[in-house]
Amino acid sequence: MSKPAISVENICKAYRIGLATKPESLKHHAQQFLRNPLGPLKNLRKFNEDYSDDAEDIYWALKDVSFDVQRGEVLGLIGRNGAGKSTLLKVLSRIVEPTSGRAVMRGRVSSLLEVGTGFHPELTGRENVYLNGAILGMRREEIKRKFDQIVEFSEVGKFLDTQVKRYSSGMYVRLAFSVAAHLDPEIMIVDEVLAVGDQAFQQKCLGKMNDVVKQGRTVVFVSHSMDAVASLCTTVIHMKKGRPSAKLSMEEGVRSYLDEASASDNLPLDKKPRSQSQPHDPIFHKLAIRSDAGESITVPAGGRVFFDVTMKNFADVPGNLTLGVGLSNSRGQRVVLFHTEYQQGRTFKGADEMTLTCEVPSLPLVPGSYSVDLVLGDGFTMVERVERAGAIEVIYDDYFGHGKLPNNKSTTLLLPCAWN
Amino acid sequence: MTEPTYDETIIRPKRGFIGVDWAELIKHRELLYFLVWRDVKIKYKQAIFGPVWAIVVPLVQVIIYTLIGILMGLSSRVQGNVPYTVYIYAALLPWLFINTAISGGGMSLVSNQALLSKIYMPRLFIPTAVIGSAIVDMLLSMIVFFGLIGFFVAKTHGHFMPSWHVVFLPALFLLLVTSALGITYLLSALTVMFRDLKFIIPFITQLGIWLTAVNYPQAFFIFKHADGTVTDYRPWLMLNPFAGIIQSFRWAIVGEELQTSQLMASIAWALVLLVGGLMYFKRVERRFADIA
């Protein structure tokens, strides 16, 4: 039996709370120093060694994580926001150092935690391909050789010599993903970057990932999309509060995730767990769902529905912001997305408080429960995302006008058609 | 069938002294080239006159300091037939380089957060690239400087000639780069750990031009008392890591008397800064992604 491609042994990662979000200030240090000149020395030692379990100001992002990944295995890491998935990927990518434990990676590793790391808006598409390629670890020769493939895959050929800041956000991520997709590693570490671009491009990305998998590469993959997990992964680890589950089969993993996801639905929106690209106070504060009958989470199939999304304290978030309301079915599959930019080409600026109302004139979904996800973006990346921010129950209504509706096993969308 | 061999990367917490992984730096050297190339490109991308600014900016400063010097009579303290413009330029050229190392280098990690927190790469390259692009600027500016020297040689019909010491310029340049790298590594890492430096760094450079005797002759540190005795405060400049380098540039180009002790101090400073900067950088590097 050959050695596994990745061996992870008792990896722990602790953060002293406050350290991760607040850079230390000289003032604080000066005060500490005046109070106790030897203190800093003691603290340093403490920081390195004293991570006792019960210390109050210590947050364990990862606790005793051990597993092996065999060559050719595609491991999906799933779990709620804050479960430690991304931290684990960062440890395996050598971006952050574990507090204790050890991991061995056998083979050339590429990690893709964000599309377009190092992309510079002032540079042209062509220049960014070279720069980004080099940052991802490609040699100049290699980039030159693959350049045409990269451009072809990205579909932005015409704009290659245009500055990237003039790109639409779709073009930007397509080009960025294309560079990453042409890496040639033996081990690939991928955070949720497949959820970029439009549907067609996402399919293309999944296809490309499938190719990578077929070539026998080892992949560790984080995703919130159970669809992507189901179509790519051979095994799954479900992370909960920094601890991993045993290795599960794909079906077991998805079930375990959906069970956990439905458990925290009762929290008010501003308390719900969320993911953010930069640490920030919670932005999404309230989600009200209304139908023609008033505030209600039940909507007749094909009926009108309103989503009132209240956001607070985000005047400091720069850029042209977009808001998306997504509905996912009980299997975690995203069914529709109502988006300020895709549907209407509209963006907005940060504010202290703002309520946006999305009116959906008709919601032709098969009766069933759907969860409502909220995503605030700045055109390039997600700013804040709350999954299962709310829930909506689509109930039976005589949408087609003759009394019958398909069930949720046969379809998700109700679209009229004419048979002759 | 034989198992193919794979490179092993071991991930574990590092303790104590952390050395520089030179092999890794050499392996990824192309990345350094791309980062320098990026910095140079971006700097002049949107300016209509592009790289012309690399030449104009120092030139304007030279003109300002020359005028001030002539109006305030500073220029009279320069010995020989040295045009004051050339005298100022000879020091401003290396000073602007140090200026970039301190301000650009200091901010380099903080302004490239994504490169720290979203990808693994040899992070030493980020501040190093700042020095790389500063070298490009300096070379451009040097062309103008040599032109200017030619102009003054012609104008004074050969009364002013650059010193033969110019043959030592490459060695001085090496010293300049060494200390610039040192201060850049130190300040870039410190700025990540202590954001206060963002506000302090501009003061360092603004004060520095005066404390390093860039825009006036060092002769002002020789103080004549009323009773005719003379106190020479120049040895205090040994405390300034860059004073010796700046003065030596003047020695090499316009033949001002060499302050050997200052030069020795600067060499010592350069080594201390480089080794200390590297050590501090490596020591705190593993926490960059947690903090940035």
Side-chain angles (χ1 to χ4, degrees):
Chain A
M1 176 94 185
S2 63
K3 285 184 177 169
I6 305 174
S7 314
V8 179
E9 296 157 22
N10 299 313
I11 288 276
C12 297
K13 176 72 191 175
Y15 284 104
R16 183 143 287 182
I17 295 172
L19 182 80
T21 50
K22 235 188 280 161
E24 300 163 48
S25 84
L26 277 179
K27 183 183 162 206
H28 170 81
H29 273 255
Q31 283 171 346
Q32 290 276 317
F33 184 76
L34 288 177
R35 220 172 288 148
N36 178 8
L38 289 177
L41 282 173
K42 228 164 56 191
N43 266 331
L44 267 182
R45 179 155 310 144
K46 202 169 147 206
F47 184 84
N48 282 334
E49 284 157 20
D50 177 27
Y51 278 109
S52 49
D53 270 325
D54 47 344
E56 250 179 49
D57 55 345
I58 287 192
Y59 169 73
W60 290 93
L62 293 175
K63 193 95 177 75
D64 291 326
V65 179
S66 302
F67 57 85
D68 284 346
V69 185
Q70 301 299 332
R71 214 155 279 291
E73 185 175 338
V74 182
L75 173 72
L77 285 176
I78 57 176
R80 300 208 56 102
N81 302 320
K85 306 171 306 264
S86 296
T87 307
L88 181 56
L89 290 197
K90 283 189 174 181
V91 169
L92 295 182
S93 316
R94 290 199 286 164
I95 294 167
V96 301
E97 192 174 75
T99 307
S100 65
R102 129 195 173 109
V104 184
M105 317 286 287
R106 299 185 182 88
R108 194 166 95 127
V109 183
S110 282
S111 56
L112 190 54
L113 302 194
E114 178 192 66
V115 284
T117 305
F119 255 51
H120 201 287
E122 297 285 342
L123 297 178
T124 66
R126 181 189 305 276
E127 290 162 345
N128 269 311
V129 167
Y130 276 93
L131 178 64
N132 188 233
I135 287 171
L136 291 173
M138 281 195 240
R139 319 210 45 154
R140 191 162 26 158
E141 269 310 305
E142 193 182 344
I143 307 171
K144 244 186 209 158
R145 190 155 35 81
K146 293 177 177 165
F147 190 82
D148 291 337
Q149 279 171 277
I150 293 174
V151 173
E152 195 190 327
F153 189 86
S154 71
E155 305 163 11
V156 300
K158 263 197 295 185
F159 304 98
L160 214 49
D161 292 305
T162 307
Q163 286 180 333
V164 158
K165 67 176 174 189
R166 313 221 181 280
Y167 279 28
S168 72
S169 48
M171 284 158 64
Y172 180 97
V173 290
R174 287 210 303 266
L175 186 64
F177 185 85
S178 304
V179 182
H182 289 82
L183 285 167
D184 212 11
E186 285 147 350
I187 300 174
M188 201 159 179
I189 295 176
V190 189
D191 203 344
E192 191 153 38
V193 289
L194 294 175
V196 300
D198 52 24
Q199 188 64 34
F201 192 72
Q202 278 188 30
Q203 284 306 319
K204 209 167 160 182
C205 296
L206 271 177
K208 187 81 194 171
M209 284 290 291
N210 255 319
D211 292 346
V212 171
V213 170
K214 282 204 196 94
Q215 287 156 22
R217 243 67 80 64
T218 312
V219 181
V220 179
F221 174 61
V222 160
S223 182
H224 285 97
S225 154
M226 289 305 115
D227 273 353
V229 171
S231 64
L232 286 174
C233 300
T234 48
T235 50
V236 170
I237 286 180
H238 183 184
M239 301 282 298
K240 284 181 191 172
K241 294 184 178 160
R243 290 169 195 272
S245 70
K247 262 207 200 156
L248 307 170
S249 72
M250 188 267 289
E251 292 84 7
E252 290 168 335
V254 171
R255 198 172 329 115
S256 160
Y257 176 78
L258 294 178
D259 285 352
E260 188 202 15
S262 50
S264 79
D265 283 351
N266 298 326
L267 291 169
L269 175 57
D270 53 341
K271 299 276 185 318
K272 281 192 182 174
R274 57 200 66 218
S275 39
Q276 296 176 322
S277 55
Q278 299 286 328
H280 193 281
D281 291 334
I283 296 174
F284 287 122
H285 264 256
K286 196 163 175 294
L287 167 68
I289 300 167
R290 288 181 288 135
S291 70
D292 281 336
E295 192 151 332
S296 153
I297 63 156
T298 55
V299 181
R304 181 152 64 157
V305 62
F306 299 87
F307 299 95
D308 304 317
V309 182
T310 305
M311 294 168 284
K312 279 188 181 170
N313 306 324
F314 66 119
D316 56 326
V317 178
N320 296 317
L321 304 177
T322 62
L323 175 64
V325 174
L327 302 187
S328 304
N329 64 17
S330 55
R331 277 166 290 163
Q333 201 172 26
R334 174 64 63 75
V335 194
V336 283
L337 176 68
F338 305 115
H339 195 268
T340 54
E341 194 175 28
Y342 295 143
Q343 262 92 345
Q344 289 199 293
R346 282 172 62 173
T347 59
F348 54 95
K349 298 281 182 204
D352 287 328
E353 182 166 350
M354 177 189 280
T355 301
L356 292 178
T357 297
C358 169
E359 178 189 344
V360 181
S362 163
L363 190 67
L365 294 179
V366 168
S369 329
Y370 297 83
S371 63
V372 183
D373 310 329
L374 298 176
V375 186
L376 180 68
D378 64 2
F380 294 117
T381 55
M382 169 270 287
V383 174
E384 179 170 292
R385 177 181 59 213
V386 180
E387 273 161 64
R388 310 178 74 88
I392 181 170
E393 195 72 28
V394 177
I395 52 172
Y396 172 82
D397 194 53
D398 191 6
Y399 182 58
F400 291 133
H402 59 83
K404 284 192 175 166
L405 283 184
N407 67 18
N408 62 8
K409 294 232 165 37
S410 45
T411 182
T412 46
L413 281 181
L414 302 175
L415 294 180
C417 64
W419 282 94
N420 294 306
Chain B
M1 208 177 91
T2 53
E3 169 83 356
T5 51
Y6 295 100
D7 302 339
E8 277 200 1
T9 312
I10 296 175
I11 297 164
R12 59 183 165 74
K14 296 190 186 102
R15 301 247 187 264
F17 174 77
I18 300 161
V20 178
D21 188 347
W22 300 105
E24 182 187 46
L25 296 186
I26 290 167
K27 198 174 140 203
H28 291 276
R29 62 189 180 279
E30 283 184 352
L31 176 56
L32 177 60
Y33 161 79
F34 275 113
L35 290 174
V36 172
W37 169 84
R38 175 189 76 159
D39 281 1
V40 173
K41 273 244 146 136
I42 291 164
K43 204 186 277 170
Y44 302 116
K45 193 93 185 186
Q46 281 221 311
I48 297 167
F49 292 105
V52 173
W53 290 112
I55 296 164
V56 172
V57 170
L59 208 55
V60 169
Q61 291 203 33
V62 166
I63 292 169
I64 292 170
Y65 289 128
T66 306
L67 287 177
I68 292 175
I70 291 171
L71 288 176
M72 294 181 64
L74 307 176
S75 56
S76 61
R77 300 289 288 263
V78 181
Q79 282 153 2
N81 298 322
V82 182
Y84 194 62
T85 314
V86 176
Y87 185 82
I88 290 293
Y89 211 145
L92 202 66
L93 202 66
W95 173 256
L96 287 178
F97 187 82
I98 291 164
N99 194 33
T100 311
I102 293 176
S103 51
M107 291 302 294
S108 60
L109 290 175
V110 184
S111 52
N112 281 294
Q113 277 188 12
L115 296 186
L116 299 180
S117 61
K118 296 292 182 189
I119 192 98
Y120 176 79
M121 55 175 270
R123 286 151 179 161
L124 262 180
F125 280 169
I126 300 172
T128 310
V130 174
I131 303 296
S133 72
I135 290 177
V136 175
D137 281 356
M138 188 167 173
L139 292 179
L140 283 176
S141 175
M142 229 171 207
I143 297 171
V144 179
F145 185 40
F146 288 140
L148 198 73
I149 290 177
F151 167 78
F152 276 107
V153 170
K155 192 184 157 206
T156 59
H157 303 292
H159 282 297
F160 162 68
M161 282 298 261
S163 161
W164 64 271
H165 303 146
V166 285
V167 297
F168 291 106
L169 267 188
L172 286 176
F173 184 68
L174 200 69
L175 175 64
L176 179 68
V177 172
T178 309
S179 59
L181 281 174
I183 194 95
T184 301
Y185 293 148
L186 188 67
L187 286 179
S188 60
L190 275 171
T191 311
V192 178
M193 307 303 283
F194 308 100
R195 294 299 159 90
D196 311 61
L197 276 162
K198 258 201 267 197
F199 306 102
I200 298 173
I201 283 175
F203 292 119
I204 301 180
T205 53
Q206 279 167 23
L207 267 179
I209 195 165
W210 295 97
L211 295 180
T212 318
V214 175
N215 47 2
Y216 58 93
Q218 271 201 8
F220 277 90
F221 284 86
I222 306 169
F223 196 77
K224 285 201 184 75
H225 298 280
D227 58 1
T229 53
V230 171
T231 321
D232 188 351
Y233 290 104
R234 283 180 297 179
W236 285 97
L237 288 171
M238 287 162 67
L239 293 175
N240 180 332
F242 308 113
I245 304 178
I246 302 290
Q247 202 278 322
S248 302
F249 265 78
R250 280 192 170 137
W251 164 75
I253 295 165
V254 301
E256 190 180 52
E257 188 192 349
L258 180 67
Q259 303 296 315
T260 318
S261 54
Q262 282 182 34
L263 178 60
M264 290 302 151
S266 273
I267 293 174
W269 270 112
L271 294 176
V272 168
L273 281 174
L274 184 66
V275 173
L278 272 176
M279 275 170 58
Y280 182 70
F281 190 98
K282 292 306 288 183
R283 189 188 163 85
V284 296
E285 181 186 12
R286 59 209 165 118
R287 284 168 61 199
F288 282 170
D290 293 336
I291 295 170

